[in-house]
Amino acid sequence: MLRAIIVDDEELSIKRLKNILIDSGEIEICGMFLNPVEAYEFVKSNPVDVAFLDISMPEINGMKLSGLLFELDASLDVVFVTGHDNYAVQAYDMSAIDYLLKPITTQRMSKTLDKIRKKLRVSSVEPSIAIHLLNGLKLYRRDQNKAQIKLRSPKTEELFAFLVCKRTVSREEIIDTLWSGLEPEKAWKNLNSTLYYVRKAISDNKAVHCIVADRNEIRIDESGVYCDLYELERLIKKIRLAPTNNAELFEQAEALYTGQLLKGKAYEWASAPMRQLEQNYILLLEAAARLHLQRSEPLKSLHYFGEILKLDALREDVSHEMIRLLIELGRRNEALRQYRILEATLQHELGTKPNPSIIDLITS
């Protein structure tokens, strides 16, 4: 069953839509909200497949809310529900899967559910291209040969990386980011020609359909590709929902994170998402270390604390935890070695010394 939320500022409309969806036998209603902010907070920590959003709501309307929800989960399906028919074009510009006019009938809802089922069938097809953005940028065909796909030029690579990272982006934003120094006409021409060469590189592969473009925006259809970044982000989201039950997911995430996002590529626009992803991954490693501490598995905790320090050697609190665990395990020489590493790092980078309480652990 698909998990759905309903957001509408009219309680009667929510009840009617709820009854239709429940009667379909395909939808599980996991939340009903009169307040869009409450719906947004719910989706932050709960998995949702479909959001039925009223468009005309005070403060945060359905259009704005859909954008916020897509930022949380780009795979979420949105169905707009409204009493007015003058929002249709804007609704489809927002990548909505459907647009329903009130009063909604069972017959009309069945067409919406058909669209959702069709999308799910497409999503179930095995992606034929693999995109690796972690520790560099590489594209492979997911066939027996696993041949690497070569892009025409550095700018072609950057455009493709930008599209994959952004998932959905307006043509104006692409031009402002990648061709900001050019005259508008030339910038648009460069975008179109570069996009052509991206598509040509994968044109003998079904993955060409993963790039969906119209006059206003370009997006990546995630169902058409495997991407290590997307997989890692999905794992991080799963772990956040139930961190104490996901020891195996921690291991999967560690295997996926082979290096920084687009490592070796000097893309100015990539620095912020790279830092954000690294911070999210560090939080994941810390959660894994804490989980194994709770389970009395100090060796596994040591491993995850060590991985954190590889990414952020200035984490004095993490070094403290490692030293404490090493001493508890009777590995005092290793604890002292870890302290010396911390001492040298802090002196070199910050001109400071470790907290005296850390050396007290070793000498006590």
Side-chain angles (χ1 to χ4, degrees):
M1 267 195 175
L2 296 173
R3 292 171 54 84
I5 61 169
I6 302 172
V7 188
D8 197 314
D9 61 341
E10 296 180 359
E11 192 168 355
L12 183 59
S13 294
I14 287 180
K15 289 180 178 178
R16 286 174 175 170
L17 182 54
K18 171 191 171 185
N19 290 336
I20 291 174
L21 292 173
I22 289 176
D23 288 345
S24 73
E26 299 181 49
I27 300 289
E28 173 191 352
I29 307 297
C30 59
M32 298 180 292
F33 304 93
L34 295 168
N35 186 330
V37 176
E38 292 178 2
Y40 175 73
E41 292 298 325
F42 178 83
V43 175
K44 272 186 176 181
S45 55
N46 294 276
V48 173
D49 301 304
V50 188
F52 292 86
L53 309 180
D54 182 33
I55 292 180
S56 300
M57 294 185 289
E59 297 184 14
I60 299 178
N61 63 30
M63 297 289 184
K64 184 175 181 180
L65 178 59
S66 71
L68 294 172
L69 295 180
F70 281 136
E71 289 178 5
L72 294 176
D73 184 355
S75 66
L76 181 74
D77 286 325
V78 167
V79 177
F80 286 116
V81 182
T82 182
H84 308 282
D85 61 0
N86 55 339
Y87 291 107
V89 174
Q90 188 179 357
Y92 288 115
D93 283 345
M94 296 296 293
S95 300
I97 198 166
D98 210 350
Y99 176 87
L100 300 176
L101 283 175
K102 298 177 182 177
I104 302 166
T105 64
T106 301
Q107 290 76 16
R108 180 62 182 85
M109 180 58 73
S110 68
K111 294 182 180 180
T112 299
L113 296 178
D114 283 342
K115 290 183 179 181
I116 295 173
R117 282 193 295 269
K118 183 178 180 181
K119 181 180 177 183
L120 288 174
R121 285 196 297 272
V122 171
S123 299
S124 65
V125 175
E126 183 70 16
S128 52
I129 184 173
I131 305 169
H132 294 262
L133 300 183
L134 302 173
N135 201 35
L137 170 62
K138 293 184 178 66
L139 288 76
Y140 297 96
R141 304 195 187 283
R142 299 191 83 190
D143 53 20
Q144 290 182 344
N145 298 323
K146 296 183 179 179
Q148 187 169 351
I149 300 172
K150 297 290 186 180
L151 295 176
R152 176 186 174 92
S153 66
K155 206 62 177 182
T156 312
E157 290 183 350
E158 185 175 9
L159 174 61
F160 185 72
F162 188 67
L163 293 175
V164 177
C165 286
K166 297 290 288 189
R167 291 176 169 83
T168 299
V169 60
S170 69
R171 289 178 179 265
E172 287 82 0
E173 184 178 347
I174 296 171
I175 287 172
D176 288 343
T177 305
L178 274 61
W179 288 282
S180 60
L182 296 182
E183 293 294 324
E185 184 176 349
K186 188 172 183 180
W188 279 88
K189 184 178 179 180
N190 280 8
L191 169 57
N192 289 332
S193 61
T194 306
L195 181 62
Y196 165 78
Y197 286 119
V198 170
R199 286 178 144 167
K200 185 178 180 181
I202 55 178
S203 61
D204 59 342
N205 192 289
K206 294 178 182 178
V208 69
H209 303 300
C210 77
I211 302 175
V212 182
D214 59 30
R215 293 178 60 186
N216 300 313
E217 68 179 24
I218 304 172
R219 67 181 176 87
I220 296 294
D221 180 357
E222 295 183 37
S223 66
V225 301
Y226 166 87
C227 178
D228 55 359
L229 173 64
Y230 298 169
E231 290 301 309
L232 180 60
E233 289 178 341
R234 277 192 279 268
L235 281 173
I236 289 174
K237 184 174 181 180
K238 278 186 180 181
I239 290 168
R240 282 175 176 169
L241 295 176
T244 59
N245 298 319
N246 284 313
E248 291 184 3
L249 295 184
F250 285 125
E251 294 176 3
Q252 292 176 30
E254 185 183 2
L256 274 172
Y257 193 87
T258 54
Q260 286 183 337
L261 178 67
L262 294 169
K263 185 177 180 180
K265 301 293 182 180
Y267 303 150
E268 186 176 346
W269 56 265
S271 59
M274 180 273 290
R275 288 193 300 270
Q276 184 61 60
L277 181 66
E278 185 173 89
Q279 286 304 308
N280 289 341
Y281 181 61
I282 288 174
L283 290 173
L284 181 147
L285 293 173
E286 193 163 359
R290 303 294 176 195
L291 172 63
H292 289 295
L293 279 179
Q294 293 172 9
R295 295 184 174 186
S296 298
E297 297 171 334
L299 293 179
K300 290 185 177 180
S301 292
L302 276 175
H303 168 75
Y304 285 113
F305 283 136
E307 291 301 306
I308 294 173
L309 291 178
K310 288 179 183 177
L311 298 172
D312 188 355
L314 297 177
R315 283 289 299 272
E316 192 171 351
D317 59 326
V318 173
S319 290
H320 195 161
E321 289 282 5
M322 284 193 69
I323 291 168
R324 181 183 61 80
L325 284 172
L326 288 168
I327 291 172
E328 288 181 0
L329 292 168
R331 295 157 62 174
R332 193 169 291 271
N333 287 339
E334 290 181 51
L336 180 58
R337 189 180 306 116
Q338 184 63 43
Y339 175 81
R340 296 303 183 201
I341 293 172
L342 172 64
E343 185 179 44
T345 301
L346 291 178
Q347 181 61 41
H348 181 265
E349 298 293 334
L350 304 176
T352 61
K353 294 182 178 181
N355 190 306
S357 63
I358 302 179
I359 193 62
D360 289 344
L361 276 175
I362 301 172
T363 58
S364 62

